Amino acid sequence: MTPAEMDAVLDRHFAGEAAHDLEATLATLTEDVEHDVVGLGVRKGHAEVAPLYQALFDGATDEIYEPIRRMYGDDFMVDEVMMTQTVVGDLYGVPGNNTVVTARLLHVLEFRDGLISRENVWMDTGTIIAQLTAANAATQAAAESGA
């Protein structure tokens, strides 16, 4: 695939995620996709990947992916973005409480037959947890002080 073709598939993928449209998101993935979020494990195929995306959709909203850089090879792409989202549910066991978090993500994507066949996601979970924890501590402190 050309870089432009890979960009188009990933843009459709991110648009599906932003719209919380599970069918549109899965439509960008091969049926036998391998999805590996570092620290959360490897899932294979739509049946295993769909619950992960649904949990993402249920737990966060207003996702924005600001591109930092993309690098291309034959049928693969490395995509670095700054992600901002509002966490409304629990994320990594920490309540979101409508906290806006920002963190870097690195996607290593492989393509086959015009779709994503492997998605490896590296995200700065420590930064996300620190932002959620700080927001929860501030909310609790305000509640205790009567503010």
Side-chain angles (χ1 to χ4, degrees):
M1 291 180 68
T2 68
E5 291 168 329
M6 289 185 267
D7 284 344
V9 173
L10 187 55
D11 290 346
R12 285 195 323 270
H13 183 79
F14 284 158
E17 286 185 9
H20 292 194
D21 185 335
L22 185 58
E23 288 185 31
T25 302
L26 293 176
T28 64
L29 308 174
T30 61
E31 285 293 328
D32 65 344
V33 66
E34 181 177 303
H35 194 278
D36 178 9
V37 179
V38 174
L40 299 180
V42 177
R43 290 163 178 82
K44 295 184 179 181
H46 285 196
E48 289 184 16
V49 171
L52 176 72
Y53 279 109
Q54 192 59 59
L56 173 68
F57 300 160
D58 293 344
T61 190
D62 301 329
E63 297 89 359
I64 299 169
Y65 298 97
E66 295 180 37
I68 297 173
R69 77 179 48 86
R70 284 185 177 169
M71 295 175 281
Y72 305 91
D74 293 335
D75 296 326
F76 77 90
M77 169 199 298
V78 178
D79 176 63
E80 183 181 3
V81 298
M82 187 63 72
M83 182 262 323
T84 301
Q85 65 183 359
T86 303
V87 181
V88 295
D90 285 1
L91 191 60
Y92 312 116
V94 182
N97 298 321
N98 295 314
T99 302
V100 176
V101 297
T102 301
R104 287 177 58 196
L105 297 178
L106 184 71
H107 300 93
V108 180
L109 303 146
E110 295 175 25
F111 296 84
R112 185 179 72 244
D113 301 325
L115 298 171
I116 298 167
S117 60
R118 184 170 190 280
E119 181 178 5
N120 179 225
V121 182
W122 298 78
M123 90 180 97
D124 188 352
T125 53
T127 294
I128 295 169
I129 291 171
Q131 291 172 65
L132 293 173
T133 302
N136 286 328
T139 300
Q140 183 166 350
E144 290 172 0
S145 72

